[in-house]
Amino acid sequence: MPDKRTKTIRTATLARVEGEGAMRVRIEAGQVTEVALDIYEPPRFFEAFLRGRDFAEAVDITSRICGICPVAYQMSAVTAMESLCGVEVGGQLRALRRLLYCGEWIESHALHIFMLHAPDFLGYAGAVEMARDHPAIVADALKLKKAGNEVMRVVGGREVHPINLRVGGLHRVPRKAELATLVEGLERAREIALGAVTLTATLDFPDYEQDFEFVALAHPGEYPIDRGRVVSDHGLDIAPADYMTHFVESHVPWSHALHSQRTDGSTYVVGPLARFATSYDELTPLAREAAAGVGLRPPERNPFRSIVVRSVELVHAVDEALALIADYEEPDAPALEVIPRAGVGHGVSEAPRGLLYHRYEIDADGTILDAVIVPPTSQNQTAIEADLRGVVERSLDLPDAELSVRCEQTIRNYDPCISCATHFLKLDVQRV
Amino acid sequence: MAAAVGARRPPGVEVVEHEGEPITLIEACEGAPALWIVDAVRSGAQPGTLHRLDAAQQPLPAELFGVSTHRLGLADALELARALGRLPPQVIVYGIEANEFEPGSPLSPSVARSVERLADALVEELSAAVNAA
């Protein structure tokens, strides 16, 4: 007779997703014997695609990797090229880029918190179903997202796949008056974001903690977004150029994506929990107050609470965007001149879902000879699988349907960048 | 398409070229008594095939409008608008079966002909709707 505690939880792919996510968890006699998450990774194509192109083109080519975090790809690309060519973009040009990045964080975090992740906690199949019962929550989410959209449009040139970033700076700098039009929407967004912290903190969190190394960027005096050294809560502190000597990517048989690990084989995590753990003190006072108000302290090791940390980061991003606008002075020129030279450049920045590393080799004419892109989702994949194992082990008494939902929720803790729809994974439970 | 219809649009009709970002799409259609959307689709039919769907009555088939991997699609945007009570009372969606989605690829001849044909039909349909109102 089959052991009732033996079963396989398997995902089928949703038809409308081009980037497939699939998952399989096997439980034998009450023991989790196999966890496999297969994520299709578009960036792999882009690396080959970039070879032979001009160094100034990487910013717009890599932007196409993701419709949710194009600015992250653009910023990692331009900073890699600029560092390679010995140029540092500072002052108001950098402030504008950081403002644009804040816009992306606002958009992306608002989408994930409210539309993709909250339905898991509140028991809905997706945002549309949730909107029928909680229209006010979804209407607020739309306002937040709109505030982010507007920043992207005014600073980046358009809401989706912005076109205003270039190696050396921007194509066009906005007038002070243009940025002033963003303030009202952002002030409203700040109130909604503060409400999101309170709301998400009241959700029901499964009891689970992880103990992985938290890896994020860090720079004195600022919350990590567009630059910094690569640090961790285990004492790592390296320049971006040394990234590849401390982290390795390897193939696993069950996934198209590369798995990233520390060179000693240990598992690490990037994203909101890592940034919160390593740069809590750099959050704006308002964001820190919001965190303290709901009893959130670093390090937070329950990945399900990442929805609260993401909300705190949302407060920070809105708050900082307002500060950048208040301090804005129109720069004299939209960009610095950047003359290519042969060499290797490294660019890192914090995509909303975690650290994004780019490495380029170019020749003296500026032609790209080689490109390596390590996206956050690939870096988190090992941790996601470990979480799945841990969560399933603690939830074996749940009915199959609930266990499947719990698995999906576990994966979404990481805001994996294959989230085209409300639910990218459909799970079937099969008893063996 | 937007240019072809825009040049001949009847009075009172606004033509918007939209990237498909769901939030601004919901905003753009708010308060309008009727909405027509034209988008590229991929269902496996012959390139250039025209689909006409009434989205006021029922959700769009998501598999027809899900060409993006990383964001909410048109079907999701309309369902969100419906759930929030912001969907116009009349919503017609035209889908033109695309040939390929490669960046920078030009319209294939069969798709280009369908665009022209649909533009003509749409101008007539809009005029009839304006006259009826």
Side-chain angles (χ1 to χ4, degrees), chain B residues 4-67:
Chain B
V5 175
R8 295 181 281 157
R9 70 184 192 279
V13 172
E14 194 184 344
V15 177
V16 179
E17 216 173 320
H18 200 276
E19 290 160 7
E21 196 285 316
I23 312 306
T24 49
L25 185 66
I26 292 171
E27 271 202 343
C29 67
E30 200 172 358
L35 174 70
W36 285 262
I37 294 173
V38 181
D39 200 2
V41 300
R42 181 162 54 184
S43 73
Q46 283 294 316
T49 303
L50 291 177
H51 305 261
R52 186 179 194 273
L53 299 147
D54 184 345
Q57 302 307 320
Q58 56 188 6
L60 292 180
E63 64 276 10
L64 215 53
F65 290 89
V67 292

Side-chain angles (χ1 to χ4, degrees), chain A residues 247-327:
Chain A
F247 300 91
V248 285
E249 287 187 293
S250 57
H251 278 289
V252 290
W254 61 87
S255 180
H256 297 177
L258 295 173
H259 274 49
S260 202
Q261 289 180 308
R262 299 277 272 116
T263 35
D264 64 7
S266 62
T267 302
Y268 69 101
V269 171
V270 298
L273 291 185
R275 294 187 292 250
F276 187 71
T278 51
S279 283
Y280 171 83
D281 291 339
E282 306 294 357
L283 286 164
T284 65
L286 187 69
R288 273 202 310 270
E289 251 174 58
V294 296
L296 194 66
R297 301 283 307 167
E300 174 55 61
R301 294 203 168 274
N302 182 340
F304 292 94
R305 285 186 198 275
S306 62
I307 191 171
V308 193
V309 175
R310 224 169 252 119
S311 302
V312 169
E313 287 196 336
L314 194 49
V315 173
H316 176 93
V318 179
D319 215 18
E320 180 161 356
L322 282 163
L324 289 166
I325 292 170
D327 294 341

Side-chain angles (χ1 to χ4, degrees), chain A residues 16 18-19 65-68 115 128 131-132 135 138-139 142 145-146 149 158-160 417 419-420, chain B residues 19 21-24 26-27 42 62-63 66-73 76 79-80 83-84 86:
Chain A
R16 65 177 132 161
E18 283 180 324
I65 289 172
C66 179
I68 302 249
M115 308 288 200
V128 172
R132 290 182 192 127
V138 175
L142 297 189
K145 197 162 181 314
K146 190 185 174 210
N149 277 355
R158 60 183 188 193
E159 289 108 347
V160 184
C417 207
S419 46
C420 103
Chain B
E19 290 160 7
E21 196 285 316
I23 312 306
T24 49
I26 292 171
E27 271 202 343
R42 181 162 54 184
E63 64 276 10
V67 292
S68 165
T69 55
H70 289 309
R71 55 196 167 95
L72 301 177
D76 302 299
E79 286 321 298
L80 264 185
L84 296 172
R86 296 186 192 174

